[in-house]
């Protein structure tokens, strides 16, 4: 990865030519068509990749099974920071993580006898505010 350090190049390259034409056509037909429409042939040449924004991982530190440092509190998906995807995550990664961790949490809760939801928690009354939105 040393060659990707602030070289001044407008992009890096993703070399997926090893897939071959048949695999591209069968497994990634939409991506292949999109690339070809834009003048990029991923079958025969590396794909130029431009920098893009990624979503930050959630802030609640959790294990791969969703456990947090708070007993009884589990975190999965977008809220969890498990370290599986490093400092960045893409939508498909977080969805996969949510499904895997969600399944693990569900199994842990079922094993602990918590497979049924508890009683609803009563909501506290909203504080009264004046017309300017300030507490009374």
């Amino acid at each position: 990865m040393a060659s990707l350090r602030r070289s001044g190049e407008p992009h890096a390259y993703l070399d997926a030519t090893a897939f071959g034409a048949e695999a591209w056509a069968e497994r990634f037909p939409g991506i292949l068509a999109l690339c070809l429409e834009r003048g990029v042939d991923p079958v025969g040449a590396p794909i130029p990749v431009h920098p893009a924004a990624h979503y930050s991982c959630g802030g609640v530190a959790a294990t791969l099974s969703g456990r947090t440092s708070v007993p009884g509190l589990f975190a999965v998906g977008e809220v969890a920071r498990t370290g599986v995807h490093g400092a960045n995550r893409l939508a498909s990664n977080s969805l996969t993580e949510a499904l895997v961790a969600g399944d693990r949490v569900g199994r842990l809760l079922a094993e602990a006898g918590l497979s049924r939801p508890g009683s609803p928690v009563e909501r506290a009354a909203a504080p009264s505010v004046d017309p300017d939105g300030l507490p009374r």
Side-chain angles (χ1 to χ4, degrees):
M1 288 293 196
S3 63
L4 297 179
R5 285 183 287 171
R6 299 184 184 252
S7 65
E9 294 295 322
H11 49 260
Y13 290 95
L14 172 64
D15 188 350
T17 56
F19 285 142
E22 188 175 314
W24 269 106
E26 288 179 20
R27 296 186 65 198
F28 306 106
I31 296 171
L32 176 61
L34 190 65
C35 286
L36 293 173
E37 286 173 13
R38 286 166 172 76
V40 175
D41 178 13
V43 174
I47 304 166
V49 179
H50 297 274
H54 291 266
Y55 298 95
S56 296
C57 289
V60 179
T63 67
L64 295 178
S65 295
R67 290 187 188 277
T68 68
S69 61
V70 178
L73 177 67
F74 293 84
V76 297
E78 293 294 328
V79 74
R81 187 184 78 226
T82 62
V84 169
H85 302 294
N88 296 311
R89 81 164 49 154
L90 302 172
S92 59
N93 294 353
S94 60
L95 178 60
T96 302
E97 186 174 328
L99 291 172
V100 171
D103 180 64
R104 290 177 177 185
V105 169
R107 291 173 191 271
L108 284 172
L109 295 177
E111 289 171 11
L114 301 172
S115 59
R116 293 191 179 134
S119 301
V121 175
E122 204 171 305
R123 285 186 178 215
S128 62
V129 294
D130 67 18
D132 294 322
L134 300 172
R136 292 188 183 174

